[in-house]
Amino acid sequence: QVQFEESGGGLVQPGGSLRLSCTASGLPLESYLISWFRQAPGKEREEVSCISRRETTTYADSVKGRFAISRDNAKRTVYLEMNSLKPGDTGVYYCAAVQGECAYSARYYEWGEFGYWGQGTQVTVSS
């Protein structure tokens, strides 16, 4: 059974930092591209960052320079380091997996090809 579990969310003040973790079981993580998505209340889910099998990375413009994605296949875990957090970063953060390249991750999402999702972890940025 394939499972993804996100952790590391919480309440943080503006300007603070969090590190999210996405741990996979039941599939060879090294064969998959992993993306982090977030969904704020009343808004559509949006992709925040992507890391490919070869560790190519992409970021949404809104988080460039503040977030960093990385992976440790031996630990079956993908990380999202989030710095200089803003209230606009508030939302539920999800990780998801698909086989492919980050350059096409938006299309994969549009086509419903991210077959594996975690349950999400809440990030709240507020003073």
Side-chain angles (χ1 to χ4, degrees):
Q1 182 180 0
V2 176
Q3 285 188 320
F4 281 82
E5 183 174 358
E6 301 95 340
S7 61
L11 173 64
V12 63
Q13 292 187 341
S17 298
L18 286 173
R19 188 176 79 158
L20 305 184
S21 299
C22 167
T23 302
S25 60
L27 84 173
L29 186 67
E30 62 273 14
S31 298
Y32 287 80
L33 163 168
I34 302 295
S35 285
W36 282 97
F37 292 81
R38 69 185 178 193
Q39 188 165 20
K43 294 187 177 181
E44 293 187 355
R45 191 172 295 186
E46 63 173 345
E47 185 183 25
V48 173
S49 185
C50 175
I51 187 165
S52 72
R53 294 178 299 127
R54 293 181 291 237
E55 301 193 25
T56 301
T57 60
T58 59
Y59 297 92
D61 287 344
S62 60
V63 306
K64 280 182 182 176
R66 300 188 298 121
F67 289 13
I69 191 170
S70 61
R71 64 192 299 159
D72 185 337
N73 292 329
K75 294 184 178 179
R76 296 179 171 272
T77 301
V78 173
Y79 303 98
L80 186 67
E81 186 75 35
M82 306 188 296
N83 300 307
S84 301
L85 283 162
K86 305 175 181 180
D89 295 318
T90 293
V92 179
Y93 282 69
Y94 303 88
C95 60
V98 68
Q99 290 184 309
E101 298 297 331
C102 286
Y104 305 109
S105 60
R107 296 184 188 181
Y108 300 149
Y109 179 66
E110 181 181 351
W111 296 337
E113 294 190 0
F114 277 92
Y116 305 108
W117 290 82
Q119 294 299 307
T121 185
Q122 175 71 45
V123 171
T124 303
V125 184
S126 175
S127 54

